Amino acid sequence: MTKTFLIAAVMAVATATAGAQQVTGTVDSHLAAAKAAAGIQFTALQERVCESALPAPAPAAAPAGRGGGGGGRQAGPPPASQWHVEPAKVFDNLYFVGMTDWSAWALTTSQGIIVIDTIFDYSVEDEVVNGLKKLGLNPADIKYALVSHAHTDHIGGAKYLQDHFGARVVMSKEDWDVSDRTIPERIRPKRDIEVRDGDKLTLGDTTITMYVTPGHTPGTISSIYQVKDRGTAHTVATWGGTTIQGGKPGTFLSYIASAERYRDIVKKSGADIVLSNHTAYDNTHANIAKLATRTPNDRNPFVIGNAAILRYITTAEECAKAGYVATTKLAASTSR
């Protein structure tokens, strides 16, 4: 076979369990630690993740004479003017084919293309399919769609790629289960490849190692893989699900354990690039703008070094710790 696919059952056991986590400190101390880790480089990450982690304030009373309900956007997809951006070549073998706020990446290999996250059902043809064509690539070469987690802004376009190009859809078993429960049937891909922690997806000369990092969803996938920049190899780390959803103590502890474990994986890998599936967190659009004026001696702005990636993960983890402390204190006070 000229095309190879390997999803190996690599036995991997998490070094810590959520229930064993001991979180000390105060809400303020963890918020301060998150801000310090973020610096000016990851401000959007720190603000958004910490906001998602903390209990929501009580809603303000509706002004007199005005109703308090409704007001959502009209049915149907938003106009393209609100989300469309042009595709871009970022590395020799990695291309941005995402939207204003949501990322999709096309990783080219010697045997075809791996699309990493598939954005929405209404945008996948415009951004991914037509984006590849604009970049001189053939969407018929898409062999796999790796979905980081089963939320519609990342899995929404997977069925389209599955139906039109025969792409194999790759996701954790846990998030296939989430998909079965939550994704509308009209955009839900048929269950395909189930990833276990530590599995490897190999296509031609390229391998992605996938880790199940629960917290954002039960089976969020974070990955490690290599790209090349002007012929020089670099290692990419992707933290697959960023905000903290649900506000339950167990969810926070799961997220914290995943962050601690993945930070160790990133450190050992020597990764010097971090990519998010939301463009604000890794400064995607600002970095692409810098690429447009890059000189032969300039470093690729996406290459930020291992220490910066560790700060990125620490930022998210400290937000989760702040949320855990706030949530458990709130639960304790309301139970009295």
Side-chain angles (χ1 to χ4, degrees):
M1 294 175 62
T2 58
K3 176 167 70 88
T4 62
F5 170 69
L6 174 63
I7 287 282
V10 179
M11 195 68 172
V13 179
T15 57
T17 61
Q21 290 293 329
Q22 297 296 320
V23 180
T24 59
T26 65
V27 173
D28 287 344
S29 70
H30 289 299
L31 292 177
K35 190 171 184 178
I40 61 172
Q41 193 171 19
F42 304 123
T43 301
L45 174 77
Q46 174 253 319
E47 291 177 349
R48 182 67 186 92
V49 181
C50 284
E51 177 189 10
S52 75
L54 296 177
R66 300 184 62 161
R73 71 172 177 85
Q74 63 185 28
S81 60
Q82 295 182 7
W83 50 260
H84 173 83
V85 295
E86 289 297 296
K89 182 176 182 177
V90 173
F91 291 97
D92 299 354
N93 58 330
L94 188 70
Y95 301 79
F96 177 78
V97 287
M99 304 164 65
T100 49
D101 299 322
W102 301 272
S103 298
W105 298 92
L107 180 63
T108 58
T109 79
S110 61
Q111 295 295 331
I113 298 171
I114 302 170
V115 172
I116 302 173
D117 279 323
T118 65
I119 48 181
F120 292 94
D121 63 300
Y122 62 77
S123 60
V124 64
E125 182 178 14
D126 177 81
E127 298 285 28
V128 176
V129 176
N130 294 338
L132 289 174
K133 293 176 182 177
K134 290 177 182 179
L135 293 164
L137 300 170
N138 187 353
D141 291 334
I142 299 172
K143 307 303 180 188
Y144 298 103
L146 171 57
V147 178
S148 63
H149 62 276
H151 286 160
T152 53
D153 49 345
H154 306 294
I155 194 178
K159 186 178 188 298
Y160 183 95
L161 300 181
Q162 193 178 58
D163 290 349
H164 286 76
F165 304 108
R168 304 292 307 276
V169 179
V170 182
M171 193 162 56
S172 71
K173 179 188 182 303
E174 293 85 354
D175 270 34
W176 277 115
D177 293 342
V178 171
S179 173
D180 287 344
R181 296 192 304 268
T182 64
I183 302 300
E185 186 176 359
R186 66 178 182 82
I187 63 168
R188 186 193 313 147
K190 66 178 183 293
R191 187 179 285 248
D192 196 359
I193 296 166
E194 296 182 352
V195 171
R196 289 177 289 182
D197 188 80
D199 280 353
K200 297 179 186 295
L201 169 60
T202 296
L203 181 63
D205 57 359
T206 300
T207 295
I208 302 177
T209 305
M210 299 164 289
Y211 301 92
V212 179
T213 52
H216 184 69
T217 63
T220 296
I221 294 175
S222 299
S223 303
I224 300 286
Y225 57 94
Q226 282 202 329
V227 296
K228 289 187 177 180
D229 182 57
R230 294 173 173 171
T232 299
H234 295 275
T235 300
V236 176
T238 65
W239 180 232
T242 313
T243 57
I244 301 150
Q245 314 217 343
K248 296 180 179 179
T251 302
F252 287 112
L253 292 175
S254 181
Y255 189 105
I256 293 163
S258 292
E260 290 179 348
R261 176 171 172 258
Y262 189 63
R263 185 172 53 235
D264 186 56
I265 290 167
V266 167
K267 186 173 183 179
K268 290 177 180 175
S269 76
D272 54 0
I273 300 161
V274 65
L275 295 179
S276 172
N277 43 31
H278 287 274
T279 58
Y281 301 150
D282 60 2
N283 307 305
T284 291
H285 294 308
N287 287 337
I288 288 175
K290 291 176 183 176
L291 283 173
T293 59
R294 184 186 181 195
T295 70
N297 295 323
D298 288 340
R299 185 184 68 177
N300 188 309
F302 282 89
V303 178
I304 61 174
N306 191 257
I309 303 172
L310 300 182
R311 288 194 294 104
Y312 181 102
I313 299 168
T314 296
T315 299
E317 180 187 353
E318 289 294 339
C319 288
K321 288 182 175 179
Y324 174 78
V325 173
T327 301
T328 52
K329 282 188 174 181
L330 179 64
S333 65
T334 56
S335 65
R336 290 172 185 165

